Amino acid sequence: MEETFFILKPDAVERGLVGEILQRAERRGFTISRLEVRKADRAILAAHYEDLADKPFFDGLADFMMSRPLVIGTFSGNDVIKSWRQMLGATNPADSAPGTIRGDFAMAPSGTVMPNIAHGSDSPESAQREIALWFGQA
Ligand code: IDP
Ligand code: MG
C-alpha cells in the first residue's frame, strides 16, 4: 500500500471542482486517507516547490497558490503515486490529453501563471517529503 500527496489548487476550488475530482479518485479505487482545507504561505510553498524556487515563474506560482485556500490531502492505494500522476495528465494543460483531470478541466495558460487544477507527488521520496511538510508526519 502506497500513499501520495495531493493539492486541489485555487482554480479547482474557485470553480467548484473539488467534489468531482475527489469522486474521480474514489472511483479509481483510491482511499482518501487525509483531507483538509488549508491556506498556504510563501514559506511552505518555497519548501514544497524547492526545485522551482529559482525559476522566473516561482513568485507568480506562489501568489496563485496563496490566492485562496487549498484542499490538501493524501490518497492511499496500490501504486497510487503513479496512478494519480497519470490521472492528472501533463503539467501544461496545453499538452494534457482529454480524459485526464488537467485535460478535461484546464485550458492552455494565457499568461505566466499556469493554473492546472491539481498537484500530485512525482515519486515515493517526494510523497514522503510532501506529506511530512504539510501534515507533520508521513
Ligand atoms: P507538476 O505539477 O506536473 O509536477 P512541476 O514541473 O513540478 O509540474 O511544476 C509545478 C507547478 O509549477 C506546475 O504544476 C505548474 O502549476 C507550475 N509551472 C511549471 N512549469 C511552469 C512554467 O513554465 N510556467 C509557469 N508555471 C509553471
Ligand atoms: Mg512536480
Side-chain angles (χ1 to χ4, degrees):
M1 201 63 117
E2 196 173 72
E3 232 180 357
T4 196
F5 175 72
F6 70 87
I7 301 176
L8 306 187
K9 298 187 183 186
D11 50 337
V13 175
E14 178 171 23
R15 291 169 54 201
L17 295 172
V18 171
E20 197 161 344
I21 295 166
L22 293 179
Q23 186 177 46
R24 284 190 180 209
E26 287 192 296
R27 279 193 183 152
R28 183 78 191 264
F30 301 172
T31 299
I32 300 170
S33 39
R34 295 181 180 82
L35 187 65
E36 199 175 312
V37 177
R38 182 88 64 85
K39 198 106 206 277
D41 61 22
R42 204 169 292 273
I44 199 165
L45 292 167
H48 176 78
Y49 287 127
E50 62 178 5
D51 51 332
L52 302 176
D54 55 3
K55 298 276 190 207
F57 59 82
F58 177 77
D59 283 343
L61 172 64
D63 288 342
F64 163 64
M65 293 294 285
M66 294 189 296
S67 63
R68 63 176 59 235
L70 311 168
V71 175
I72 64 169
T74 56
F75 296 129
S76 305
N78 192 33
D79 229 355
V80 76
I81 296 172
K82 185 176 106 192
S83 297
W84 177 238
R85 292 285 295 189
Q86 286 178 334
M87 287 175 73
L88 288 177
T91 300
N92 189 333
D95 303 320
S96 313
T100 64
I101 287 167
R102 288 164 173 169
D104 285 350
F105 299 124
M107 283 184 65
S110 59
T112 52
V113 179
M114 188 187 286
N116 60 0
I117 302 288
H119 165 82
S121 308
D122 62 10
S123 68
E125 296 71 33
S126 301
Q128 200 172 26
R129 187 181 72 81
E130 292 168 7
I131 294 166
L133 175 67
W134 290 86
F135 288 109
Q137 195 54 252

